């Protein structure tokens, strides 16, 4: 049990993308300041934060000065180098803690962790090098998906195997990086649970959302998701189990496949999650405020869903639709202020209240 940080305190955020931006807005609304640490110039979060440090994660002096300026540090991106975290943690608490990052940075460690909790994951095999590929394909079969152990996101670092013959090409496509081979899950649809845990161990989950991906990138999240009452309970219990096992503080996203045999965990993200953006217009307290509350040592807020919502990501040229979307009723626009529109780049999202 930890005392809440004082009002007016500074919350450091590693990463300055749209998640850091929306966390900063939520923090400001609760009377906190945010300080962004981001290697890239002009980060979207910089527009709404109290301070920004522009430096690489290898810059020890910049990290030390950043930590000295913060009362607690969190992150919006899980691939922060371990050495940077060591440096920060020597000066100021990091929430959620290191264990959640260690596990989610590596798909193999993550799968083993989830299995150790008794949760169902897709069948998987370790593929450290091309020599291990044959045995992995023999065990997992085809179709299958090869995923790099580290640094994969939005469908990147993945190659599909239609048949066993695709194995060598798939490994080469991923730059010969250590990987896992995952059996193809025949799911009916995908859902996610956005869950939160406070410093006192209190757990709260938002209503699960149903997710549709296009080209490996989230396209829409719809709430309520198509789930039976039993599946809904299962999803929430699974998320709580993960949070408690990690002694987690903050918001975590759990992506699940829905199959006739039950729910299968695809992956976890130790941060606010794109599939939780609907909460901004569907709940009294959204995922960003919930995360800030947890990290600040506050009690969790009321995340009860009071509307049906469809969240749609605005990607690349979808920005051309903004003038038309701005005229639509029951529609809330959230734009990230990114200077340059690029194909595949998340530029904003829109939440439509459907009931
Ligand atoms: P990931 O980066 O692991 O979240 O994967 C991105 C998307 O690829 C998922 O949301 C699924 O649509 C699909 N996918 C990933 N793993 C599997 C699997 N084992 N079986 C079927 N589809 C998958």
């Amino acid at each position: 049990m930890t005392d809440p940080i004082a009002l007016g305190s500074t919350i450091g955020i590693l990463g300055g993308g749209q998640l850091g931006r929306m966390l900063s807005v939520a923090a400001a609304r609760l009377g906190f300041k945010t300080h962004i640490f981001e290697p890239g110039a002009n980060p979207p979060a910089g527009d709404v934060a109290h301070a920004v440090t522009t430096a690489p994660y290898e810059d020890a002096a910049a990290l030390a000065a950043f930590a000295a300026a913060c009362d607690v540090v969190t992150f919006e991106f899980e691939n922060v180098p371990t050495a940077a975290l060591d440096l920060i943690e020597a000066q100021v608490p990091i929430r959620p803690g290191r264990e959640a990052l260690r596990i989610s940075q590596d798909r193999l460690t993550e799968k083993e962790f989830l299995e150790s909790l008794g949760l169902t994951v897709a069948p998987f095999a370790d593929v450290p090098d091309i020599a291990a590929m044959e045995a992995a394909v023999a065990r997992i079969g085809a179709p299958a998906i090869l995923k790099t152990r580290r640094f994969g996101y939005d469908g990147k670092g993945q190659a599909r195997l239609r048949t066993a013959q695709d194995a060598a090409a798939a490994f080469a496509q991923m730059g010969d990086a250590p990987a896992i081979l995952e059996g193809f899950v025949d799911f009916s649809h995908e859902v996610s649970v956005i869950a939160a845990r406070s410093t006192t161990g209190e757990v709260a989950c938002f209503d699960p959302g149903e997710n549709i991906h296009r080209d490996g990138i989230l396209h829409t999240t719809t709430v309520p998701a198509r789930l039976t009452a039993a599946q809904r309970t299962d999803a929430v219990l699974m998320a709580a189990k993960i949070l408690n096992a990690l002694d987690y503080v903050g918001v975590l996203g759990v992506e699940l496949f829905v199959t006739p045999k039950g729910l299968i965990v695809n992956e976890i993200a130790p941060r606010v999650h794109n599939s939780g953006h609907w909460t901004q217009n569907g709940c009294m307290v959204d995922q960003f405020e919930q995360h800030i509350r947890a990290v600040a040592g506050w009690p969790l807020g009321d995340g009860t869903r009071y509307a049906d919502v469809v969240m749609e990501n605005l990607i690349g040229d979808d920005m051309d639709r903004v003038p038309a979307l701005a005229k639509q009723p029951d529609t809330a626009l959230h734009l990230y202020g990114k200077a340059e529109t690029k194909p595949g780049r998340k530029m904003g999202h829109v939440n439509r209240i459907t009931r």
Side-chain angles (χ1 to χ4, degrees):
M1 159 109 207
T2 332
D3 287 336
I5 58 172
L7 288 179
S9 295
T10 300
I11 300 173
I13 303 178
L14 299 167
Q18 62 268 17
L19 301 178
R21 178 180 172 103
M22 293 183 275
L23 283 169
S24 294
V25 171
R29 201 154 38 75
L30 295 184
F32 299 114
K33 298 182 177 74
T34 58
H35 187 144
I36 305 297
F37 191 104
E38 161 66 48
N42 304 318
D47 294 346
V48 296
H50 176 71
V52 180
T53 297
T54 308
Y57 287 115
E58 292 71 33
D59 185 337
L63 287 167
F66 165 76
C70 298
D71 298 284
V72 61
V73 168
T74 187
F75 45 86
E76 58 125 47
F77 138 92
E78 55 267 45
N79 289 316
V80 180
T82 318
L85 298 169
D86 288 340
L87 240 149
I88 294 169
E89 207 174 30
Q91 285 178 249
V92 67
I94 302 180
R95 294 181 186 150
R98 294 289 295 281
E99 185 61 1
L101 269 180
R102 187 184 70 80
I103 284 172
S104 61
Q105 281 182 344
D106 183 331
R107 287 190 192 271
L108 180 63
T109 318
E110 180 178 298
K111 285 268 192 296
E112 288 169 349
F113 163 72
L114 293 167
E115 271 198 328
S116 77
L117 296 182
L119 305 177
T120 310
V121 295
F124 65 95
D126 184 13
V127 186
D129 48 38
I130 186 70
M133 196 64 181
E134 198 178 328
V137 176
R139 186 145 76 76
I140 302 297
I145 306 186
L146 191 68
K147 300 182 178 180
T148 51
R149 281 179 61 172
R150 300 174 67 86
F151 305 123
Y153 70 99
D154 282 351
K156 294 188 176 65
Q158 295 193 9
R160 299 204 173 193
L161 279 72
R162 276 178 299 113
T163 69
Q165 277 71 48
D166 295 338
F171 199 76
Q173 191 186 326
M174 308 224 306
D176 296 336
I180 60 168
L181 186 68
E182 253 186 59
F184 204 81
V185 177
D186 191 13
F187 57 80
S188 56
H189 51 294
E190 295 183 73
V191 300
S192 57
V193 184
I194 308 301
R197 188 168 176 278
S198 71
T199 50
T200 59
E202 176 194 11
V203 170
C205 294
F206 291 100
D207 205 9
E210 183 168 334
N211 301 322
I212 294 177
H213 294 86
R214 271 193 193 164
D215 303 323
I217 303 177
L218 184 66
H219 172 50
T220 57
T221 302
T222 301
V223 282
R226 284 172 298 157
L227 290 174
T228 62
Q231 287 170 327
R232 215 166 275 274
T233 307
D234 262 2
V236 166
L237 290 176
M238 289 163 105
K241 206 170 196 177
I242 295 167
L243 289 172
N244 288 328
L246 294 171
D247 194 18
Y248 196 91
V249 175
V251 164
L252 170 121
V254 185
E255 296 182 21
L256 301 162
F257 297 134
V258 184
T259 79
K261 289 190 194 146
L263 301 176
I264 294 178
V265 185
N266 175 28
E267 63 178 0
I268 57 176
R271 52 172 168 75
V272 285
H273 196 255
N274 194 169
S275 70
H277 291 359
W278 67 268
T279 59
Q280 292 172 307
N281 300 98
C283 306
M284 189 80 78
V285 170
D286 68 21
Q287 65 163 347
F288 300 100
E289 176 173 337
Q290 202 70 303
H291 185 74
I292 295 295
R293 280 172 168 258
V295 164
W298 279 29
L300 299 178
D302 179 0
T304 308
R305 181 176 63 79
Y306 58 72
D308 293 2
V309 187
V310 178
M311 186 289 305
E312 183 189 348
N313 269 334
L314 300 177
I315 296 179
D317 288 343
D318 286 339
M319 285 301 279
D320 296 344
R321 293 165 45 209
V322 165
L325 288 167
K327 291 185 202 155
Q328 286 184 2
D330 293 330
T331 299
L333 271 169
H334 300 262
L335 304 179
Y336 308 151
K338 295 184 183 176
E340 204 188 335
T341 306
K342 287 189 208 157
R345 190 172 200 203
K346 290 177 179 169
M347 303 299 297
H349 65 272
V350 54
N351 284 330
R352 287 195 189 84
I353 303 293
T354 53
R355 204 176 64 136

